[in-house]
Amino acid sequence: MTTIKSKKVNGAHRVLEIPKMQWAQVFEKTASALIYTQIPVPSISSDEILVQIHYSGVCHTDLHVWKGDWPLESKKDLVGGHEGAGVAVARGDNVSRVSIGDRVGVQWMNDTCGSCEFCSDGDQPLCPSAKISGYTVNGTFQQYAVCKATNAVRIPNGISLDEAAPILCAGVTVYKALKESNLQPGQIVAVVGAGGGLGTLACQYAKALGYRVLAISEGSSKKAMLVKVIGVDYFVDYIASKQGLIPEVQELTGGGPHAAIVVASVESPIGQAIQYIRPKGTVVVVGLHKNAIIKADLFSTVVKQKTVKGSYVGSCIVTEEALAIYANDRFCIQYQVLFLEELPAVFEKMQQGKMQGRTVLQIPSPETMLNGSIE
């Protein structure tokens, strides 16, 4: 555990020598240029913490927010990012859940009311007054980020901060989707888009939970990696399938998988999954494609009692569960570490479809401020 000296300033417990200014990636409005610049370090309220971000994962959602792909307006002069792993360096007077020096994560759900029906049931992502990191409030592509203490994720000491970062969104997203599928150990789950960053994590979480896994991806190289390294039970190349995807999946799995997790960000795999899952099966949709529509044959969906549902990130408690599973199983997270300055190049690769695995940005320490000093 990191040891940090602190004092009480203006009603908040603070780490000494927090700078006044910090480096961040900022864009003024949707699709405007990303500017690597200095902005003020934010202040905190009585129920919030200030986190020095050491690493921040880059999610495809961050690209969608920057481009304005979704029907929710982002704040102006936005700092994106929602997979921030670091250390709590200040806390408000009403905070007891997090101590200064704790290793914590700042994720998508930055602030929730804590009292609505959804928060009361542990479904904080559905809170109608939620504030979203890197979307409606500034996120983690900066040296210091704020979040409500009750929404902070506590990171186990056995996990490095760079490997924890992708779990704060990608990991918890697929873990939550698997929970939503209501599978029993030994049952079969199809992971659609299995070769990507989300897909490889979904396959590994599914194996850790005791399910049999059908990976649906493309290419012999993806098959070798998924079968030999990750240990999936079945593999289907959706492009090279000679008999057609739907009959091949059903034949391989003896009538279809019990559930399908669709992480691919295209429209057609959703309808295909509804067709090939077995009766009473569940399709959980995770990937978001702009303007996509779910299409399914109504008669067979009804008479075979199939379920189609969406799944959307997870609460801090669910994220801590996902971190605990990873800490126990230590499976492979495919990611590369780049620098915060390189975010525009990362977005460019994402748009071109050239990104392999996940990207984690190393956030500069305060000592890298202008003139090499802390103000």
Side-chain angles (χ1 to χ4, degrees):
M1 180 66 68
T2 306
T3 301
I4 302 177
K5 296 181 179 179
S6 67
K7 65 178 180 180
K8 193 171 183 179
V9 180
N10 297 327
H13 295 277
R14 290 185 171 276
V15 167
L16 300 180
E17 298 183 347
I18 294 175
K20 297 177 181 178
M21 301 293 290
Q22 61 165 334
W23 287 104
Q25 289 279 8
V26 185
F27 61 93
E28 180 184 3
K29 58 183 180 179
T30 297
S32 65
L34 285 161
I35 306 297
Y36 186 56
T37 186
Q38 283 193 297
I39 62 173
V41 172
S43 58
I44 59 173
S45 64
S46 61
D47 62 353
E48 293 178 327
I49 60 172
L50 183 68
V51 181
Q52 182 184 335
I53 304 296
H54 291 204
Y55 294 93
S56 180
V58 184
C59 179
H60 215 93
T61 297
D62 298 315
L63 176 63
H64 286 301
V65 172
W66 175 60
K67 292 172 64 180
D69 285 342
W70 292 347
L72 174 63
E73 186 176 352
S74 63
K75 74 175 287 288
K76 302 299 181 183
D77 297 315
L78 179 67
V79 176
H82 58 275
E83 295 182 350
V87 175
V89 293
R91 66 175 189 172
D93 271 353
N94 294 336
V95 174
S96 58
R97 183 173 182 268
V98 177
S99 298
I100 291 175
D102 283 358
R103 292 151 41 90
V104 293
V106 178
Q107 60 173 166
W108 183 251
M109 306 312 302
N110 188 286
D111 188 345
T112 50
C113 73
S115 58
C116 69
E117 61 175 303
F118 301 109
C119 287
S120 298
D121 288 340
D123 286 326
Q124 285 85 353
L126 299 177
C127 175
S129 59
K131 297 177 182 178
I132 302 172
S133 297
Y135 205 154
T136 62
V137 297
N138 283 343
T140 58
F141 296 151
Q142 58 181 335
Q143 291 175 298
Y144 293 90
V146 172
C147 78
K148 190 173 181 179
T150 52
N151 291 90
V153 176
R154 294 165 294 192
I155 299 173
N157 284 331
I159 303 175
S160 67
L161 294 177
D162 56 318
E163 62 186 332
I167 298 175
L168 297 175
C169 183
V172 69
T173 293
V174 297
Y175 171 64
K176 172 74 177 310
L178 288 163
K179 286 170 68 79
E180 292 288 344
S181 69
N182 296 317
L183 287 165
Q184 298 297 318
Q187 291 184 327
I188 304 170
V189 59
V191 176
V192 186
L198 272 178
T200 54
L201 279 173
C203 291
Q204 292 176 101
Y205 269 104
K207 293 298 293 182
L209 293 169
Y211 310 142
R212 288 182 288 162
V213 178
L214 164 65
I216 299 178
S217 187
E218 62 173 316
S220 58
S221 61
K222 292 289 178 66
K223 177 178 181 179
M225 183 270 292
L226 288 163
V227 173
K228 294 180 182 179
V229 177
I230 293 177
V232 301
D233 302 276
Y234 315 94
F235 180 90
V236 173
D237 185 334
Y238 67 88
I239 292 178
S241 177
K242 294 180 179 180
Q243 63 188 104
L245 176 66
I246 293 168
E248 182 173 354
V249 166
Q250 291 181 324
E251 181 180 332
L252 265 178
T253 57
H258 299 82
I261 310 298
V262 183
V263 300
S265 296
V266 290
E267 184 176 307
S268 58
I270 303 170
Q272 292 170 339
I274 296 169
Q275 292 182 68
Y276 61 62
I277 60 168
R278 69 181 59 203
K280 298 201 77 172
T282 301
V283 176
V284 184
V285 183
V286 174
L288 288 172
H289 180 67
K290 185 179 181 181
N291 300 323
I293 301 294
I294 296 177
K295 299 176 182 177
D297 175 68
L298 181 60
F299 183 81
S300 63
T301 302
V302 171
V303 300
K304 294 184 179 180
Q305 300 182 46
K306 297 180 180 181
T307 300
V308 182
K309 63 196 304 186
S311 184
Y312 171 63
V313 296
S315 68
C316 61
I317 300 303
V318 174
T319 307
E320 289 174 1
E321 290 176 13
L323 285 164
I325 290 172
Y326 172 72
N328 183 65
D329 286 78
R330 306 304 297 198
F331 43 72
C332 174
I333 302 177
Q334 292 184 309
Y335 70 97
Q336 60 177 335
V337 178
L338 300 175
F339 295 105
L340 179 60
E341 301 96 304
E342 299 178 83
L343 179 61
V346 173
F347 277 174
E348 184 176 355
K349 280 189 174 182
M350 281 184 169
Q351 292 187 91
Q352 296 171 349
K354 295 180 179 179
M355 187 62 63
Q356 298 294 318
R358 309 289 294 184
T359 295
V360 174
L361 300 178
Q362 183 175 337
I363 310 300
S365 65
E367 287 72 21
T368 60
M369 304 295 290
L370 281 177
N371 303 320
S373 62
I374 298 176
E375 298 182 15

